[in-house]
Amino acid sequence: MKVLVLGVDGYIGWPLALRLLSRGHQVSGADSFFTRKRVKEVSSDSALPIQSFSRRNSFLRDTTGKEIEFFRGDVSDPDFIYDMISETEPDAIVHLAEQRSAPYSMLGLKQASETMQKNIISTMNLIYAVKDIVPESHILKLGTMGEYGTPNVDIPEGFFEVEFNGRKDYLPFPKNAGSWYHWTKVHDSNNLMFANRVWGTRITDVMQGVVYGTRTADIVDANQFTRFDIDEVWGTALNRFCAQAIASLPITPYGKGGQTRGFLSLEDSITCLTIGLEKPPAKGEYRVFNQFDQHYSVMELALKVKEVYEKEYGHKAEIKHVPNPRVEKEEHYYKPESRKLRELGYKPQGDLQKDLVRIMEDLSGYRDRIEKLKQVIMPKTVWEKSSGFSH
Ligand code: USQ
């Protein structure tokens, strides 16, 4: 299959490209290096050292004889995406090239608007380019479990049957996101659903949970590392907690730490996306996957990281509850359904204990890099302070 990966330089894009190549697919990829640039702007860096994209590709060529056909550019530019899709004529396009940080989107008006524009426009460009050039192609789009929010009822996979005033219908489940970033994904989902209704575009809309980990089966050498962000803007909960333990910094559940989310390992994320590509939706189908392995509260994860660190390294790890910078429910019901990927063959490989040991092992070789990031670990981006005048 010919697959085009938008955002091929990212945390998920890079290991996905490695997996697809190893399974015999032909892979093209695009990136504008937006994440590398914006991470630098908050004085941060990937905790694991990562190679430039061209070095990654040369390493791939030297070790496997395969490489990614690379296009440098911004998918919110319609000319760029139209030219690239005309040239590559892919069977499937994976869209991972969106601004992916909730805190970044809450820094202020500039970042909120940039997130809206980059994310919503890139998906619109993709929808139109596919319709105009390769209407049979499959769009596999990365959304987020955060689109649903934390309702006090079970969360279905995209749609549910509802009865109101004596009448029944099968409708999209209401969305209630918690940051401007998460709302862009809701808007994308609406736009994708509409494109499907009007033009029959084949779409998989992936509601993914929080991903953790440093490795996949294809990342066996430090030259193949994918980025690993741990700062307060670009890092995510479990990855941050592991880095905090390794650098003898306090582990930081926000507030009481009762926030519950779906989590999955990087390996499982790549497996799920690969299944989604290799078992595409039928012609004219729009399908939604809730993509995660298990759900945990932030506090459960903090305690697990503490336990694993203390057992493996013989030192104490500190847990410090810090005031929650976000506006979110800290204790809530959470029961999302996740059935469709399992029906297609997904068997989660994630083993939290083993995965945490592996992450800490990888990070412990780079303590000096984490030490240098100490100033950007504690939360500073406060939802309620987001303002047009602050940045
Ligand atoms: N949290 C802490 N302490 C920390 C960091 C986070 O308690 O040091 C809490 C947050 O308050 C939140 C939860 O952990 O309740 C998750 O936060 P996160 O930073 O790990 O993840 P989030 O901002 O939700 O976003 C991440 C990715 C995003 C993806 C999303 C999936 O950055 O791209 O869409 O996870 S989900 O969370 O399911 O929406």
Side-chain angles (χ1 to χ4, degrees), residues 100-103 143-147 181-182 208-210 235-238 240-241 244 252-254 259 261-263 298 324 326 328 334:
R100 61 155 162 90
S101 159
T144 168
M145 280 302 292
E147 293 183 35
Y181 152 75
H182 286 96
Q208 181 164 252
V210 187
T236 51
L238 192 48
R240 275 166 57 73
F241 295 170
Q244 288 164 339
T252 55
Y254 294 163
Q259 306 91 314
R261 301 284 183 273
F263 283 79
V298 165
N324 195 338
R326 306 183 179 201
E328 60 185 356
Y334 198 63

PDB file of all heavy atoms in Angstrom, residues 100-103 143-147 181-182 208-210 235-238 240-241 244 252-254 259 261-263 298 324 326 328 334, ligand 1:
ATOM      1  N   ARG A 100      -0.381  19.727  18.688  1.00  0.00           N
ATOM      2  CA  ARG A 100      -0.902  18.660  19.535  1.00  0.00           C
ATOM      3  C   ARG A 100      -0.912  18.945  21.032  1.00  0.00           C
ATOM      4  O   ARG A 100      -1.173  18.043  21.828  1.00  0.00           O
ATOM      5  CB  ARG A 100      -0.094  17.393  19.299  1.00  0.00           C
ATOM      6  CG  ARG A 100       1.398  17.567  19.655  1.00  0.00           C
ATOM      7  CD  ARG A 100       2.027  16.256  20.000  1.00  0.00           C
ATOM      8  NE  ARG A 100       3.468  16.237  19.948  1.00  0.00           N
ATOM      9  CZ  ARG A 100       4.239  16.518  20.975  1.00  0.00           C
ATOM     10  NH1 ARG A 100       3.714  16.924  22.122  1.00  0.00           N
ATOM     11  NH2 ARG A 100       5.558  16.414  20.858  1.00  0.00           N
ATOM     12  N   SER A 101      -0.583  20.183  21.427  1.00  0.00           N
ATOM     13  CA  SER A 101      -0.487  20.442  22.860  1.00  0.00           C
ATOM     14  C   SER A 101      -1.659  21.280  23.375  1.00  0.00           C
ATOM     15  O   SER A 101      -1.912  22.387  22.882  1.00  0.00           O
ATOM     16  CB  SER A 101       0.832  21.175  23.153  1.00  0.00           C
ATOM     17  OG  SER A 101       0.748  21.841  24.385  1.00  0.00           O
ATOM     18  N   ALA A 102      -2.352  20.738  24.412  1.00  0.00           N
ATOM     19  CA  ALA A 102      -3.430  21.501  25.041  1.00  0.00           C
ATOM     20  C   ALA A 102      -2.869  22.760  25.727  1.00  0.00           C
ATOM     21  O   ALA A 102      -3.378  23.871  25.507  1.00  0.00           O
ATOM     22  CB  ALA A 102      -4.181  20.611  26.027  1.00  0.00           C
ATOM     23  N   PRO A 103      -1.803  22.637  26.549  1.00  0.00           N
ATOM     24  CA  PRO A 103      -1.279  23.854  27.185  1.00  0.00           C
ATOM     25  C   PRO A 103      -0.827  24.912  26.170  1.00  0.00           C
ATOM     26  O   PRO A 103      -1.079  26.107  26.353  1.00  0.00           O
ATOM     27  CB  PRO A 103      -0.082  23.344  28.013  1.00  0.00           C
ATOM     28  CG  PRO A 103      -0.383  21.909  28.282  1.00  0.00           C
ATOM     29  CD  PRO A 103      -1.124  21.426  27.067  1.00  0.00           C
ATOM     30  N   GLY A 143      -7.616  12.079  15.999  1.00  0.00           N
ATOM     31  CA  GLY A 143      -8.378  12.932  16.920  1.00  0.00           C
ATOM     32  C   GLY A 143      -7.969  12.577  18.337  1.00  0.00           C
ATOM     33  O   GLY A 143      -6.874  12.040  18.555  1.00  0.00           O
ATOM     34  N   THR A 144      -8.829  12.806  19.312  1.00  0.00           N
ATOM     35  CA  THR A 144      -8.436  12.567  20.694  1.00  0.00           C
ATOM     36  C   THR A 144      -9.628  12.137  21.554  1.00  0.00           C
ATOM     37  O   THR A 144     -10.757  12.598  21.332  1.00  0.00           O
ATOM     38  CB  THR A 144      -7.782  13.840  21.280  1.00  0.00           C
ATOM     39  OG1 THR A 144      -7.664  13.693  22.685  1.00  0.00           O
ATOM     40  CG2 THR A 144      -8.569  15.095  21.012  1.00  0.00           C
ATOM     41  N   MET A 145      -9.351  11.279  22.531  1.00  0.00           N
ATOM     42  CA  MET A 145     -10.403  10.911  23.488  1.00  0.00           C
ATOM     43  C   MET A 145     -10.910  12.158  24.206  1.00  0.00           C
ATOM     44  O   MET A 145     -12.047  12.188  24.688  1.00  0.00           O
ATOM     45  CB  MET A 145      -9.856   9.909  24.519  1.00  0.00           C
ATOM     46  CG  MET A 145      -9.775   8.475  24.047  1.00  0.00           C
ATOM     47  SD  MET A 145     -11.351   7.790  23.512  1.00  0.00           S
ATOM     48  CE  MET A 145     -12.253   7.711  25.053  1.00  0.00           C
ATOM     49  N   GLY A 146     -10.054  13.172  24.291  1.00  0.00           N
ATOM     50  CA  GLY A 146     -10.424  14.426  24.953  1.00  0.00           C
ATOM     51  C   GLY A 146     -11.561  15.165  24.263  1.00  0.00           C
ATOM     52  O   GLY A 146     -12.112  16.116  24.816  1.00  0.00           O
ATOM     53  N   GLU A 147     -11.944  14.737  23.049  1.00  0.00           N
ATOM     54  CA  GLU A 147     -13.093  15.371  22.389  1.00  0.00           C
ATOM     55  C   GLU A 147     -14.367  15.155  23.210  1.00  0.00           C
ATOM     56  O   GLU A 147     -15.243  16.002  23.259  1.00  0.00           O
ATOM     57  CB  GLU A 147     -13.293  14.808  20.972  1.00  0.00           C
ATOM     58  CG  GLU A 147     -12.172  15.177  20.021  1.00  0.00           C
ATOM     59  CD  GLU A 147     -12.402  14.687  18.605  1.00  0.00           C
ATOM     60  OE1 GLU A 147     -13.558  14.657  18.147  1.00  0.00           O
ATOM     61  OE2 GLU A 147     -11.412  14.339  17.939  1.00  0.00           O
ATOM     62  N   TYR A 181      -7.101  23.334  21.977  1.00  0.00           N
ATOM     63  CA  TYR A 181      -6.544  22.242  21.164  1.00  0.00           C
ATOM     64  C   TYR A 181      -7.583  21.131  20.993  1.00  0.00           C
ATOM     65  O   TYR A 181      -7.853  20.683  19.872  1.00  0.00           O
ATOM     66  CB  TYR A 181      -5.255  21.674  21.822  1.00  0.00           C
ATOM     67  CG  TYR A 181      -5.043  20.236  21.454  1.00  0.00           C
ATOM     68  CD1 TYR A 181      -4.585  19.895  20.183  1.00  0.00           C
ATOM     69  CD2 TYR A 181      -5.381  19.198  22.334  1.00  0.00           C
ATOM     70  CE1 TYR A 181      -4.461  18.561  19.809  1.00  0.00           C
ATOM     71  CE2 TYR A 181      -5.265  17.873  21.973  1.00  0.00           C
ATOM     72  CZ  TYR A 181      -4.801  17.561  20.710  1.00  0.00           C
ATOM     73  OH  TYR A 181      -4.697  16.248  20.339  1.00  0.00           O
ATOM     74  N   HIS A 182      -8.133  20.666  22.136  1.00  0.00           N
ATOM     75  CA  HIS A 182      -9.073  19.546  22.039  1.00  0.00           C
ATOM     76  C   HIS A 182     -10.313  19.940  21.209  1.00  0.00           C
ATOM     77  O   HIS A 182     -10.853  19.112  20.476  1.00  0.00           O
ATOM     78  CB  HIS A 182      -9.495  19.075  23.437  1.00  0.00           C
ATOM     79  CG  HIS A 182      -8.419  18.311  24.172  1.00  0.00           C
ATOM     80  ND1 HIS A 182      -7.569  18.903  25.078  1.00  0.00           N
ATOM     81  CD2 HIS A 182      -8.062  17.003  24.137  1.00  0.00           C
ATOM     82  CE1 HIS A 182      -6.732  17.987  25.572  1.00  0.00           C
ATOM     83  NE2 HIS A 182      -7.004  16.831  25.022  1.00  0.00           N
ATOM     84  N   GLN A 208      -7.856   9.048  20.188  1.00  0.00           N
ATOM     85  CA  GLN A 208      -6.743   8.388  20.879  1.00  0.00           C
ATOM     86  C   GLN A 208      -6.573   8.934  22.300  1.00  0.00           C
ATOM     87  O   GLN A 208      -6.752  10.124  22.545  1.00  0.00           O
ATOM     88  CB  GLN A 208      -5.447   8.571  20.084  1.00  0.00           C
ATOM     89  CG  GLN A 208      -4.251   7.874  20.739  1.00  0.00           C
ATOM     90  CD  GLN A 208      -3.058   7.704  19.819  1.00  0.00           C
ATOM     91  OE1 GLN A 208      -2.752   6.622  19.377  1.00  0.00           O
ATOM     92  NE2 GLN A 208      -2.397   8.795  19.553  1.00  0.00           N
ATOM     93  N   GLY A 209      -6.215   8.050  23.217  1.00  0.00           N
ATOM     94  CA  GLY A 209      -5.895   8.456  24.587  1.00  0.00           C
ATOM     95  C   GLY A 209      -4.477   8.987  24.680  1.00  0.00           C
ATOM     96  O   GLY A 209      -3.825   9.259  23.665  1.00  0.00           O
ATOM     97  N   VAL A 210      -3.986   9.132  25.908  1.00  0.00           N
ATOM     98  CA  VAL A 210      -2.630   9.661  26.114  1.00  0.00           C
ATOM     99  C   VAL A 210      -1.623   8.533  25.852  1.00  0.00           C
ATOM    100  O   VAL A 210      -1.759   7.440  26.396  1.00  0.00           O
ATOM    101  CB  VAL A 210      -2.448  10.170  27.564  1.00  0.00           C
ATOM    102  CG1 VAL A 210      -1.104  10.872  27.706  1.00  0.00           C
ATOM    103  CG2 VAL A 210      -3.585  11.097  27.984  1.00  0.00           C
ATOM    104  N   GLY A 235       5.052  18.089  27.118  1.00  0.00           N
ATOM    105  CA  GLY A 235       5.119  16.745  27.695  1.00  0.00           C
ATOM    106  C   GLY A 235       3.742  16.278  28.151  1.00  0.00           C
ATOM    107  O   GLY A 235       2.889  17.095  28.481  1.00  0.00           O
ATOM    108  N   THR A 236       3.532  14.956  28.208  1.00  0.00           N
ATOM    109  CA  THR A 236       2.251  14.424  28.698  1.00  0.00           C
ATOM    110  C   THR A 236       2.474  13.637  29.988  1.00  0.00           C
ATOM    111  O   THR A 236       3.601  13.279  30.326  1.00  0.00           O
ATOM    112  CB  THR A 236       1.581  13.544  27.631  1.00  0.00           C
ATOM    113  OG1 THR A 236       2.534  12.586  27.190  1.00  0.00           O
ATOM    114  CG2 THR A 236       1.101  14.357  26.461  1.00  0.00           C
ATOM    115  N   ALA A 237       1.365  13.376  30.680  1.00  0.00           N
ATOM    116  CA  ALA A 237       1.418  12.960  32.085  1.00  0.00           C
ATOM    117  C   ALA A 237       2.429  11.849  32.383  1.00  0.00           C
ATOM    118  O   ALA A 237       3.424  12.082  33.079  1.00  0.00           O
ATOM    119  CB  ALA A 237       0.022  12.552  32.537  1.00  0.00           C
ATOM    120  N   LEU A 238       2.213  10.659  31.870  1.00  0.00           N
ATOM    121  CA  LEU A 238       3.046   9.541  32.314  1.00  0.00           C
ATOM    122  C   LEU A 238       4.513   9.692  31.902  1.00  0.00           C
ATOM    123  O   LEU A 238       5.422   9.382  32.687  1.00  0.00           O
ATOM    124  CB  LEU A 238       2.438   8.237  31.768  1.00  0.00           C
ATOM    125  CG  LEU A 238       2.956   6.919  32.303  1.00  0.00           C
ATOM    126  CD1 LEU A 238       3.040   6.875  33.808  1.00  0.00           C
ATOM    127  CD2 LEU A 238       2.064   5.784  31.817  1.00  0.00           C
ATOM    128  N   ARG A 240       6.079  12.462  31.559  1.00  0.00           N
ATOM    129  CA  ARG A 240       6.641  13.464  32.483  1.00  0.00           C
ATOM    130  C   ARG A 240       6.973  12.823  33.835  1.00  0.00           C
ATOM    131  O   ARG A 240       8.043  13.064  34.402  1.00  0.00           O
ATOM    132  CB  ARG A 240       5.616  14.595  32.708  1.00  0.00           C
ATOM    133  CG  ARG A 240       5.670  15.664  31.642  1.00  0.00           C
ATOM    134  CD  ARG A 240       4.447  16.579  31.676  1.00  0.00           C
ATOM    135  NE  ARG A 240       4.166  17.281  32.924  1.00  0.00           N
ATOM    136  CZ  ARG A 240       4.853  18.301  33.407  1.00  0.00           C
ATOM    137  NH1 ARG A 240       5.941  18.716  32.778  1.00  0.00           N
ATOM    138  NH2 ARG A 240       4.487  18.915  34.529  1.00  0.00           N
ATOM    139  N   PHE A 241       6.057  12.006  34.338  1.00  0.00           N
ATOM    140  CA  PHE A 241       6.272  11.413  35.668  1.00  0.00           C
ATOM    141  C   PHE A 241       7.552  10.571  35.691  1.00  0.00           C
ATOM    142  O   PHE A 241       8.301  10.609  36.666  1.00  0.00           O
ATOM    143  CB  PHE A 241       5.067  10.551  36.077  1.00  0.00           C
ATOM    144  CG  PHE A 241       3.781  11.322  36.275  1.00  0.00           C
ATOM    145  CD1 PHE A 241       2.569  10.662  36.446  1.00  0.00           C
ATOM    146  CD2 PHE A 241       3.776  12.717  36.303  1.00  0.00           C
ATOM    147  CE1 PHE A 241       1.387  11.361  36.637  1.00  0.00           C
ATOM    148  CE2 PHE A 241       2.589  13.428  36.487  1.00  0.00           C
ATOM    149  CZ  PHE A 241       1.391  12.743  36.644  1.00  0.00           C
ATOM    150  N   GLN A 244      10.494  12.879  35.714  1.00  0.00           N
ATOM    151  CA  GLN A 244      10.605  13.538  37.017  1.00  0.00           C
ATOM    152  C   GLN A 244      11.270  12.592  38.020  1.00  0.00           C
ATOM    153  O   GLN A 244      12.176  12.990  38.757  1.00  0.00           O
ATOM    154  CB  GLN A 244       9.213  13.973  37.501  1.00  0.00           C
ATOM    155  CG  GLN A 244       8.677  15.167  36.710  1.00  0.00           C
ATOM    156  CD  GLN A 244       7.170  15.387  36.894  1.00  0.00           C
ATOM    157  OE1 GLN A 244       6.415  14.491  37.281  1.00  0.00           O
ATOM    158  NE2 GLN A 244       6.716  16.610  36.578  1.00  0.00           N
ATOM    159  N   THR A 252       4.305  15.167  39.560  1.00  0.00           N
ATOM    160  CA  THR A 252       3.336  16.257  39.726  1.00  0.00           C
ATOM    161  C   THR A 252       1.910  15.927  39.293  1.00  0.00           C
ATOM    162  O   THR A 252       1.452  16.406  38.243  1.00  0.00           O
ATOM    163  CB  THR A 252       3.786  17.478  38.885  1.00  0.00           C
ATOM    164  OG1 THR A 252       3.954  17.014  37.503  1.00  0.00           O
ATOM    165  CG2 THR A 252       5.090  18.064  39.368  1.00  0.00           C
ATOM    166  N   PRO A 253       1.147  15.156  40.085  1.00  0.00           N
ATOM    167  CA  PRO A 253      -0.287  15.100  39.765  1.00  0.00           C
ATOM    168  C   PRO A 253      -0.901  16.477  39.990  1.00  0.00           C
ATOM    169  O   PRO A 253      -0.619  17.111  41.009  1.00  0.00           O
ATOM    170  CB  PRO A 253      -0.841  14.067  40.761  1.00  0.00           C
ATOM    171  CG  PRO A 253       0.188  13.940  41.830  1.00  0.00           C
ATOM    172  CD  PRO A 253       1.504  14.388  41.271  1.00  0.00           C
ATOM    173  N   TYR A 254      -1.706  16.929  39.034  1.00  0.00           N
ATOM    174  CA  TYR A 254      -2.350  18.242  39.190  1.00  0.00           C
ATOM    175  C   TYR A 254      -3.568  18.083  40.099  1.00  0.00           C
ATOM    176  O   TYR A 254      -4.409  17.191  39.875  1.00  0.00           O
ATOM    177  CB  TYR A 254      -2.778  18.806  37.834  1.00  0.00           C
ATOM    178  CG  TYR A 254      -1.629  19.136  36.897  1.00  0.00           C
ATOM    179  CD1 TYR A 254      -1.857  19.307  35.525  1.00  0.00           C
ATOM    180  CD2 TYR A 254      -0.327  19.289  37.366  1.00  0.00           C
ATOM    181  CE1 TYR A 254      -0.818  19.620  34.657  1.00  0.00           C
ATOM    182  CE2 TYR A 254       0.717  19.596  36.498  1.00  0.00           C
ATOM    183  CZ  TYR A 254       0.468  19.751  35.152  1.00  0.00           C
ATOM    184  OH  TYR A 254       1.487  20.056  34.293  1.00  0.00           O
ATOM    185  N   GLN A 259      -8.178  12.885  37.941  1.00  0.00           N
ATOM    186  CA  GLN A 259      -8.522  12.939  36.511  1.00  0.00           C
ATOM    187  C   GLN A 259      -8.221  11.583  35.887  1.00  0.00           C
ATOM    188  O   GLN A 259      -7.090  11.098  35.972  1.00  0.00           O
ATOM    189  CB  GLN A 259      -7.671  13.989  35.767  1.00  0.00           C
ATOM    190  CG  GLN A 259      -7.686  15.373  36.342  1.00  0.00           C
ATOM    191  CD  GLN A 259      -6.575  15.556  37.352  1.00  0.00           C
ATOM    192  OE1 GLN A 259      -6.352  14.719  38.203  1.00  0.00           O
ATOM    193  NE2 GLN A 259      -5.882  16.673  37.277  1.00  0.00           N
ATOM    194  N   ARG A 261      -8.065   9.140  32.478  1.00  0.00           N
ATOM    195  CA  ARG A 261      -7.944   9.184  31.016  1.00  0.00           C
ATOM    196  C   ARG A 261      -7.597   7.792  30.496  1.00  0.00           C
ATOM    197  O   ARG A 261      -7.015   6.986  31.216  1.00  0.00           O
ATOM    198  CB  ARG A 261      -6.793  10.131  30.600  1.00  0.00           C
ATOM    199  CG  ARG A 261      -6.926  11.592  31.074  1.00  0.00           C
ATOM    200  CD  ARG A 261      -7.949  12.362  30.248  1.00  0.00           C
ATOM    201  NE  ARG A 261      -8.008  13.765  30.652  1.00  0.00           N
ATOM    202  CZ  ARG A 261      -8.781  14.243  31.629  1.00  0.00           C
ATOM    203  NH1 ARG A 261      -9.550  13.424  32.321  1.00  0.00           N
ATOM    204  NH2 ARG A 261      -8.782  15.531  31.909  1.00  0.00           N
ATOM    205  N   GLY A 262      -7.886   7.564  29.209  1.00  0.00           N
ATOM    206  CA  GLY A 262      -7.438   6.342  28.547  1.00  0.00           C
ATOM    207  C   GLY A 262      -5.962   6.505  28.199  1.00  0.00           C
ATOM    208  O   GLY A 262      -5.554   7.580  27.734  1.00  0.00           O
ATOM    209  N   PHE A 263      -5.172   5.477  28.435  1.00  0.00           N
ATOM    210  CA  PHE A 263      -3.739   5.513  28.107  1.00  0.00           C
ATOM    211  C   PHE A 263      -3.397   4.321  27.231  1.00  0.00           C
ATOM    212  O   PHE A 263      -4.057   3.274  27.294  1.00  0.00           O
ATOM    213  CB  PHE A 263      -2.894   5.437  29.396  1.00  0.00           C
ATOM    214  CG  PHE A 263      -2.840   6.758  30.152  1.00  0.00           C
ATOM    215  CD1 PHE A 263      -3.903   7.162  30.953  1.00  0.00           C
ATOM    216  CD2 PHE A 263      -1.735   7.592  30.047  1.00  0.00           C
ATOM    217  CE1 PHE A 263      -3.860   8.370  31.649  1.00  0.00           C
ATOM    218  CE2 PHE A 263      -1.687   8.802  30.733  1.00  0.00           C
ATOM    219  CZ  PHE A 263      -2.749   9.188  31.540  1.00  0.00           C
ATOM    220  N   VAL A 298      -4.718   9.918  37.167  1.00  0.00           N
ATOM    221  CA  VAL A 298      -3.376  10.490  37.201  1.00  0.00           C
ATOM    222  C   VAL A 298      -2.653  10.063  38.487  1.00  0.00           C
ATOM    223  O   VAL A 298      -1.449   9.771  38.484  1.00  0.00           O
ATOM    224  CB  VAL A 298      -3.513  12.031  37.101  1.00  0.00           C
ATOM    225  CG1 VAL A 298      -2.242  12.721  37.489  1.00  0.00           C
ATOM    226  CG2 VAL A 298      -3.946  12.425  35.700  1.00  0.00           C
ATOM    227  N   ASN A 324      -3.945  22.613  40.296  1.00  0.00           N
ATOM    228  CA  ASN A 324      -4.251  22.259  38.904  1.00  0.00           C
ATOM    229  C   ASN A 324      -4.307  23.516  38.028  1.00  0.00           C
ATOM    230  O   ASN A 324      -5.147  24.392  38.249  1.00  0.00           O
ATOM    231  CB  ASN A 324      -5.587  21.505  38.839  1.00  0.00           C
ATOM    232  CG  ASN A 324      -5.764  20.809  37.502  1.00  0.00           C
ATOM    233  OD1 ASN A 324      -5.130  21.191  36.508  1.00  0.00           O
ATOM    234  ND2 ASN A 324      -6.607  19.797  37.464  1.00  0.00           N
ATOM    235  N   ARG A 326      -5.268  23.630  35.044  1.00  0.00           N
ATOM    236  CA  ARG A 326      -6.330  23.479  34.038  1.00  0.00           C
ATOM    237  C   ARG A 326      -7.699  23.630  34.678  1.00  0.00           C
ATOM    238  O   ARG A 326      -7.844  23.463  35.887  1.00  0.00           O
ATOM    239  CB  ARG A 326      -6.247  22.098  33.402  1.00  0.00           C
ATOM    240  CG  ARG A 326      -4.874  21.797  32.828  1.00  0.00           C
ATOM    241  CD  ARG A 326      -4.852  20.456  32.154  1.00  0.00           C
ATOM    242  NE  ARG A 326      -3.514  20.233  31.615  1.00  0.00           N
ATOM    243  CZ  ARG A 326      -3.220  19.388  30.645  1.00  0.00           C
ATOM    244  NH1 ARG A 326      -4.167  18.660  30.093  1.00  0.00           N
ATOM    245  NH2 ARG A 326      -1.994  19.266  30.202  1.00  0.00           N
ATOM    246  N   GLU A 328     -10.706  21.594  34.822  1.00  0.00           N
ATOM    247  CA  GLU A 328     -11.175  20.233  34.511  1.00  0.00           C
ATOM    248  C   GLU A 328     -11.686  19.592  35.793  1.00  0.00           C
ATOM    249  O   GLU A 328     -11.324  20.014  36.887  1.00  0.00           O
ATOM    250  CB  GLU A 328     -10.041  19.388  33.902  1.00  0.00           C
ATOM    251  CG  GLU A 328      -8.841  19.232  34.822  1.00  0.00           C
ATOM    252  CD  GLU A 328      -7.650  18.494  34.200  1.00  0.00           C
ATOM    253  OE1 GLU A 328      -7.743  18.017  33.064  1.00  0.00           O
ATOM    254  OE2 GLU A 328      -6.618  18.407  34.876  1.00  0.00           O
ATOM    255  N   TYR A 334     -15.845   7.767  34.537  1.00  0.00           N
ATOM    256  CA  TYR A 334     -15.192   7.636  33.224  1.00  0.00           C
ATOM    257  C   TYR A 334     -15.307   6.202  32.735  1.00  0.00           C
ATOM    258  O   TYR A 334     -14.672   5.297  33.277  1.00  0.00           O
ATOM    259  CB  TYR A 334     -13.714   8.033  33.326  1.00  0.00           C
ATOM    260  CG  TYR A 334     -13.082   8.348  31.980  1.00  0.00           C
ATOM    261  CD1 TYR A 334     -13.541   9.420  31.219  1.00  0.00           C
ATOM    262  CD2 TYR A 334     -12.037   7.595  31.477  1.00  0.00           C
ATOM    263  CE1 TYR A 334     -12.976   9.722  29.992  1.00  0.00           C
ATOM    264  CE2 TYR A 334     -11.463   7.892  30.242  1.00  0.00           C
ATOM    265  CZ  TYR A 334     -11.938   8.959  29.516  1.00  0.00           C
ATOM    266  OH  TYR A 334     -11.364   9.262  28.295  1.00  0.00           O
TER     267      TYR A 334
HETATM  268  N1  USQ B   1      -1.553  16.027  34.334  1.00  0.00           N
HETATM  269  C1  USQ B   1      -1.087  15.985  35.640  1.00  0.00           C
HETATM  270  N2  USQ B   1       0.231  16.263  35.844  1.00  0.00           N
HETATM  271  C2  USQ B   1       1.107  16.552  34.835  1.00  0.00           C
HETATM  272  C3  USQ B   1       0.613  16.574  33.519  1.00  0.00           C
HETATM  273  C4  USQ B   1      -0.731  16.312  33.306  1.00  0.00           C
HETATM  274  O1  USQ B   1      -1.831  15.732  36.576  1.00  0.00           O
HETATM  275  O2  USQ B   1       2.295  16.797  35.122  1.00  0.00           O
HETATM  276  C5  USQ B   1      -2.988  15.709  34.095  1.00  0.00           C
HETATM  277  C6  USQ B   1      -3.773  16.798  33.387  1.00  0.00           C
HETATM  278  O3  USQ B   1      -4.317  17.714  34.311  1.00  0.00           O
HETATM  279  C7  USQ B   1      -4.829  15.984  32.660  1.00  0.00           C
HETATM  280  C8  USQ B   1      -4.175  14.638  32.411  1.00  0.00           C
HETATM  281  O4  USQ B   1      -3.021  14.590  33.237  1.00  0.00           O
HETATM  282  O5  USQ B   1      -5.924  15.762  33.491  1.00  0.00           O
HETATM  283  C9  USQ B   1      -3.721  14.443  30.971  1.00  0.00           C
HETATM  284  O6  USQ B   1      -2.871  15.526  30.609  1.00  0.00           O
HETATM  285  P1  USQ B   1      -1.709  15.337  29.527  1.00  0.00           P
HETATM  286  O7  USQ B   1      -0.874  16.564  29.527  1.00  0.00           O
HETATM  287  O8  USQ B   1      -1.029  14.037  29.721  1.00  0.00           O
HETATM  288  O9  USQ B   1      -2.545  15.143  28.204  1.00  0.00           O
HETATM  289  P2  USQ B   1      -3.515  16.127  27.410  1.00  0.00           P
HETATM  290  O10 USQ B   1      -3.226  17.546  27.658  1.00  0.00           O
HETATM  291  O11 USQ B   1      -4.902  15.653  27.623  1.00  0.00           O
HETATM  292  O12 USQ B   1      -3.088  15.843  25.899  1.00  0.00           O
HETATM  293  C10 USQ B   1      -2.380  14.674  25.486  1.00  0.00           C
HETATM  294  C11 USQ B   1      -1.724  14.980  24.154  1.00  0.00           C
HETATM  295  C12 USQ B   1      -2.820  15.262  23.124  1.00  0.00           C
HETATM  296  C13 USQ B   1      -3.778  14.089  23.068  1.00  0.00           C
HETATM  297  C14 USQ B   1      -4.367  13.809  24.454  1.00  0.00           C
HETATM  298  C15 USQ B   1      -5.201  12.555  24.512  1.00  0.00           C
HETATM  299  O13 USQ B   1      -0.848  16.084  24.277  1.00  0.00           O
HETATM  300  O14 USQ B   1      -2.201  15.493  21.860  1.00  0.00           O
HETATM  301  O15 USQ B   1      -4.829  14.390  22.195  1.00  0.00           O
HETATM  302  O16 USQ B   1      -3.256  13.586  25.387  1.00  0.00           O
HETATM  303  S1  USQ B   1      -6.488  12.703  25.698  1.00  0.00           S
HETATM  304  O17 USQ B   1      -5.915  13.123  26.981  1.00  0.00           O
HETATM  305  O18 USQ B   1      -7.148  11.443  25.787  1.00  0.00           O
HETATM  306  O19 USQ B   1      -7.370  13.753  25.225  1.00  0.00           O
END
